[in-house]
Amino acid sequence: MPKKIHNDVDQRIAEAVCFERIRPAFQPIVTLTETRIVGFEVLARWHDMTLGEVSPDVFVPAAQSRSLLGLMTFNLMRSACQAAVSWPGTFYLAFNVPPTLLQDRSSVDLLTDAIQISGFPSHRVRVEMTEAEVIEDETAAGAAIAFLRSLGIRVVLDDFGTGFSSMTRLHRFDFDEIKIDGSFVRAIESDPGSRRIVSAIVGLGHSLDIPVVAESIQDQHQLDYLRQLGCDYGQGWLFGTAIPGEQVPALLATPVQVSATGGHLQLSPYRRQHQLQALYTDAPVGLCFVDPDKRYLSANARFCDMIGYPPEAVVGRSIHEVYEPAFAVLVEQTLDALMAGPASVPLEYKMPGRPETFLAYSQRVLDDTGALLGMSIVSIDITARKRAEEALLESEARYRHCVELSPTVMWVAEADGTLSYISPLADEPEGQSMEQRLQTWYERMDPEDRERVRDEWLAGLPREEAFETRFRVQWRPGQWGWVLSRGRPYIEQGRPTRWFGVFSDISHAMALEDQVRKLQDALSER
């Protein structure tokens, strides 16, 4: 601001303070769960007839230099509380109080008098102080906080993250709320460092059971991110700018219109961390996380048992430190392919010298900017399943050999007559799906018999009685034979739910019948 305007402010500030021309404006503070107004931060605004709008960054230092800061704050608090005492609701008012006032007992008395004169309840007042104020004079700050609390006034640590407050101070002064400095919130979308700081502050506040307020929320993306972190409250342009007192009752009567996109997690990052850690530790499957440098950042006991190494030999170590060289190279090649590609398919693996078989599901983990953080891997012991599969294959192979000697095929049909299962054929290729097996069987049937058999089958279904028919099939290419199909319904609650039956090879019997018929024909001609 030009020097002349600074001089004009210095000349007019006393008049503005004494005649209460510096007026309060109210910026809403909302719950991030449902964007409901819970309070207002009271800000100082000065519109001068000559100078126009004067920024607080200009007139606050001017008032301080003329020892008018205490009077200006007193007027602001009294005016805001007097206006708010008649508004509906149980909202609170938050005031930024300069450090010099909090360190002087007479000034603190003056400010508390401003609240009592208005009739506004003290327990609905917040006094905000910055980290710098706490550090400047811890003894005076501690005495001021204790006195304010004795009146029911709550104390908020403002602009957290920009100063040098320690955990000791946070614990010693037992703040009622922490406010995240708006510079970090505004940079959430563009600066990974700011995102980490915001996440850390929310986690810190909740680990100490201190609610967290985020300042300067300007867009939906910032709101969604803060909701996901579990931040409790917020304020900023997204919920409304600071408004004069006469507009507040109408605002209180109108719900804040903000999208609920992104949802809100009721658990803080601190609590979620411990909940997830418990799930991670006790999970019945192997869990691990591998970073882009192929290091195990975490691994539960089940995973360590699977690979045959103790947790201290896995967590924090690279795969080349964990496995033998040849196996480490194989693991590295697999991880490189998984990290480079899109969603991966499950992989089976066995550890050298061990009989178990494991199935691994992997998922690439990205940060908000799309950068790869690593791979999350879930391993399941499928040894019993593999053994069952091998036993089934062996059993099926034996069945095939038996079928070759005397072809018999089992089948199952649904209540509407649709064939849903057929047992393997002797010359069927391995690995065929049930749909392929059924289609192959239809193709083996004599085309002339196919429609006839279907008509007989559909006509017999309503009778719910045993079904029987004959037709020709190709057991092997060029080798035609006869089949007897027999089936019975399975009755449940008075109605058939399925049909079970067999296709039996009757080629030899049909050949004998044909020979007998020919002999009978020959005898009848004599």
Side-chain angles (χ1 to χ4, degrees), residues 25 46 61 78 81 84 88 93 113 122 140 179 199 221 248 259 273 306 325 363 373 380 386 423 437 464 468-469 481:
W46 180 20
R78 180 175 53 80
C81 289
L93 299 180
D113 286 344
S122 297
K179 267 195 171 183
S199 178
H221 178 86
V248 172
S259 169
Q273 176 187 352
M306 287 177 169
Q363 177 66 48
L373 297 177
I380 302 173
K386 291 293 291 184
S423 59
R437 186 179 292 172
E464 300 177 3
E468 183 175 310
T469 190

Side-chain angles (χ1 to χ4, degrees), residues 5 12 38 58 79 189 200 224 274 299 307 347 374 381 419 436:
I5 296 179
R12 302 175 69 89
V38 293
V58 175
S79 177
E189 297 177 68
D224 290 343
H274 287 275
I307 64 174
L347 296 176
D381 189 340
L419 204 62
Q436 292 172 321

Side-chain angles (χ1 to χ4, degrees), residues 343-359:
S344 58
V345 296
L347 296 176
E348 286 188 15
Y349 71 93
K350 300 183 72 168
M351 297 299 298
R354 298 188 60 172
E356 300 94 344
T357 303
F358 303 106
L359 186 66

